[in-house]
């Protein structure tokens, strides 16, 4: 199979999805209204609620939801063959992710920017809300701890990415001033910001930075993890326009440039996909394709984390409700493009099948490493860029996206802690909530050693937890649509498939954890499964009430 064929078909599917299906969802299902006053205007505070240009907001939303997951998931899942991964990424993006992300953004914007966890209280009930918040809390904690380790590994493994990764913070701070304080033209600001960022990439490739064995008494891994948490904590309490938003916007632009470089290399070299379409010779110990494919590839097909970003930060910055189509649905398409690039890099970036099989010698292999190495080889062969520079560009992309997801997740978890305080009748300030998040995140990350081994401790639960959350988010969207008398099937069909596959995977995982006698993860997985089933049950009751004619404004029955 020629990789160029995969690229063209994938781009055609994504284009049709945005031009046709997202238009149907926006006009007929969600009925987006430009005249509707968004939370950004109604509750404007200059910190979290900030009316934002849709292109800038798209950059924030896209890079926050993307992270490293659309690289890691597809980069691992091609072990079953490139065709299942390709189909799930393309079909999942168009009919699952776009619908889910746009739906969560619309639902929150219609409810004063409330998070999906808070919305569950209104549309599912108080008991469902409490259990929903448990699932969200655990998922965000997984993201924060694990992404800190992923970024650290990249900074250590690709030292040429250190300067551009940290220099991007300064670039973003200046870009924020250029947009909001100096009111400069957005196109000019973008050109200046991206030029500065790629200058840092060239500088980093020329002067890689490797930390000594001890920095301030810490190993390189410990130092980078602590630095990342401190940065994420500071970024999470600053007004979004100061750092978070411009950083994400510039990262979004540079990602599309990076993808353009990768796709151009595919166009000029048309490398052969050496991996099989269906791999009938998977290594021993590889789990079955069903249901694991649907939880291994989350971001890039559908992801519950996206609903938290849509309802946690993006909905609070939406200038016009009609911007939700571009921000939410096209944000999902952007992530699908990244996942497609990861599939091509991880299957066509190797010279022979034997070389590919050597990398994919066990389930879990591949991921970011296959993307950086395979993509670097494609760029070198297609555009003639030096291998080191190609690897630096791709590694920097991965670091910056993981970092934007991490600092957004810290902000979101701070919101969850504050919401939990409200439920307990305790006023938790922004600074206290952030301190709690950092302490819990660092505690988990260093729970098994100073190298951050604990950061991946509960990561095996991420896939199933994330997809269960996506299905629960879709249940809220479905209830809202039913109460408004609109077509809920675009939400119900993805909801049924995703919940079935995620629940199936969670049950399989319970058995594996029991056999491994991993009592901590077994207990956490059991809590997540019970909470998800309970919320799903409450959601079904709410759907029945909605179908019976309960209106949007009807008072909810407290089933607790």
């Amino acid at each position: 199979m020629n990789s160029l064929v995969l690229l063209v078909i994938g781009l055609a599917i994504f284009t049709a999805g945005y031009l046709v299906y997202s238009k149907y969802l926006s006009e007929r299902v969600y009925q987006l209204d430009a005249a509707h006053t968004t939370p950004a205007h109604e509750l404007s505070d200059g910190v979290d609620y900030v009316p934002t240009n849709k292109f800038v907001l798209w950059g924030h939303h896209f890079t926050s939801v993307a992270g490293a997951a659309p690289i890691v998931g597809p980069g691992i899942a091609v072990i079953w063959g490139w065709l299942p991964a390709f189909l799930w990424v393309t079909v999942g993006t168009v009919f699952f992710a776009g619908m889910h992300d746009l739906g969560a953004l619309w639902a929150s914007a219609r409810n004063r920017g409330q998070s999906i966890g808070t919305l569950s209280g209104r549309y599912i009930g108080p008991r469902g809300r409490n259990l929903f918040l448990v699932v969200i809390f655990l998922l965000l904690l997984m993201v924060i701890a694990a992404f800190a380790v992923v970024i650290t590994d990249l900074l250590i493994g690709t030292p040429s990415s250190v300067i551009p990764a940290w220099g991007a913070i300064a670039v973003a701070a200046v870009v924020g001033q250029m947009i909001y304080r100096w009111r400069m033209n957005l196109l000019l600001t973008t050109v200046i910001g991206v030029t500065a960022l790629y200058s840092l990439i060239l500088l980093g490739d020329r002067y890689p930075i490797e930390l000594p064995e001890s920095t301030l008494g810490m190993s390189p891994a410990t130092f980078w993890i602590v630095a990342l948490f401190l940065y994420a904590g500071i970024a999470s309490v600053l007004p979004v326009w100061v750092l978070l938003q411009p950083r994400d916007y510039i990262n979004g632009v540079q990602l599309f440039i990076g993808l353009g470089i990768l796709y151009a290399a595919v166009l000029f070299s048309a490398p052969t996909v050496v991996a099989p379409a269906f791999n009938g010779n998977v290594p021993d110990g590889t789990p079955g394709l069903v249901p694991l494919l649907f939880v291994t590839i989350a971001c890039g097909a559908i992801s519950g984390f996206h609903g938290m970003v849509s309802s946690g930060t993006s909905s609070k910055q939406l200038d016009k409700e009609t911007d939700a189509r571009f921000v939410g649905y096209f944000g999902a398409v952007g992530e699908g493009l990244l996942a497609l690039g990861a599939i091509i890099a991880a299957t066509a970036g190797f010279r022979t099948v034997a070389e590919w099989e050597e990398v994919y010698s066990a389930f879990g292999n591949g991921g970011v490493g296959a993307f950086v190495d395979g993509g670097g080889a494609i760029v070198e062969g297609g555009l003639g860029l030096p291998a080191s520079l190609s690897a630096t560009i791709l590694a920097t992309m991965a670091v910056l996206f993981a970092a934007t997801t991490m600092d957004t997740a810290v902000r979101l978890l701070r919101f969850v802690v504050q919401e939990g305080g409200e439920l307990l009748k305790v006023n938790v300030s922004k600074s206290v909530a952030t301190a709690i998040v950092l302490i819990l995140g660092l505690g988990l990350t260093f729970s098994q050693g100073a190298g951050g081994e604990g950061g991946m401790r509960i990561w095996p639960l991420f896939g199933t937890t994330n997809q269960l959350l996506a299905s629960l988010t879709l249940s809220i969207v479905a209830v809202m649509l039913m109460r408004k008398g609109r077509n809920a099937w675009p939400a119900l069909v993805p909801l049924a498939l995703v919940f079935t596959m995620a629940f199936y995977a969670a049950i399989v995982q319970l058995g594996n954890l029991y056999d491994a006698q991993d009592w901590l993860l077994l207990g956490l997985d059991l809590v997540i499964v019970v909470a998800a089933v309970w919320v799903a049950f409450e959601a079904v009751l709410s759907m029945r009430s909605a179908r019976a004619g309960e209106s949007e404004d009807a008072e909810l029955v407290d089933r607790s």
Side-chain angles (χ1 to χ4, degrees), residues 160-180:
S160 56
S161 66
V162 172
I163 289 178
W166 290 100
I169 298 173
V171 172
V174 174
V175 167
Q177 297 296 315
M178 293 168 71
I179 294 175
Y180 288 100

Side-chain angles (χ1 to χ4, degrees), residues 319-476:
D319 184 33
K320 294 187 295 185
E321 188 174 81
T322 48
D323 291 347
R325 178 189 177 193
F326 183 78
V327 174
Y329 196 98
F330 192 63
V333 169
E335 189 172 58
L337 289 169
L338 178 56
L340 176 61
I343 291 173
I344 293 174
T347 57
F350 300 90
R351 289 171 295 182
T352 63
V353 177
E355 188 177 290
W356 180 82
E357 289 179 339
E358 183 178 351
V359 172
Y360 287 88
S361 58
F363 182 71
N365 290 0
V368 175
F371 172 75
V372 173
D373 295 339
I378 292 174
V379 171
E380 181 185 13
L383 300 180
L385 293 181
S388 63
L389 179 58
S390 301
T392 299
I393 291 173
L394 296 178
T396 300
M397 284 172 55
V399 168
L400 291 179
F401 283 103
T404 54
T405 298
M406 181 184 173
D407 54 29
T408 298
V410 170
R411 185 180 288 260
L412 292 172
L413 191 51
R414 185 250 293 175
F415 291 155
V416 172
V417 171
Q418 289 180 296
E419 288 177 9
E422 291 175 2
L423 293 177
L424 298 173
K425 311 293 185 186
V426 177
N427 183 26
V428 182
S429 68
K430 185 186 301 184
S431 57
V432 171
T434 302
I436 292 173
V437 170
L438 295 183
I439 290 170
L440 290 174
L442 284 168
L444 174 62
T445 306
F446 291 129
S447 62
Q448 292 188 310
E453 294 83 357
M456 304 302 291
R457 183 72 177 95
I458 59 176
W459 185 251
L461 303 181
F462 173 79
T464 53
T465 305
N466 191 46
Q467 300 305 71
L468 285 171
L469 180 60
S471 63
L472 298 179
T473 299
L474 285 171
S475 71
I476 294 174

Side-chain angles (χ1 to χ4, degrees), residues 178 183-190:
M178 293 168 71
R183 304 293 181 181
M184 291 179 60
N185 177 270
L186 181 60
L187 178 59
L188 177 61
T189 300
T190 303

Side-chain angles (χ1 to χ4, degrees), residues 9-53:
I9 294 175
L11 291 177
I13 292 173
F14 292 145
T15 301
Y18 182 72
L19 294 179
V20 180
Y21 192 57
S22 77
K23 183 178 181 181
Y24 166 74
L25 292 175
S26 300
E27 296 180 357
R28 303 290 298 276
V29 178
Y30 297 127
Q31 298 179 20
L32 303 181
D33 183 4
H36 178 75
T37 302
T38 63
H41 289 283
E42 181 183 359
L43 305 172
S44 179
D45 62 3
V47 179
D48 295 318
Y49 294 84
V50 179
T52 303
N53 177 286

Side-chain angles (χ1 to χ4, degrees), residues 510-533:
L510 281 174
N512 294 337
L513 293 173
Y514 179 81
D515 292 340
Q517 297 186 349
D518 193 332
W519 308 122
L520 172 62
L521 294 190
L522 178 65
L524 288 174
D525 197 20
L526 190 60
V527 168
I528 292 167
V529 170
V530 170
V533 171

Side-chain angles (χ1 to χ4, degrees), residues 96 471 474-475 489-503 543:
F96 290 67
S471 63
L474 285 171
S475 71
W489 284 110
L492 291 173
V493 173
L495 162 60
L497 177 63
V498 174
F499 184 82
T500 299
M501 291 300 171
F503 184 72
M543 289 179 197

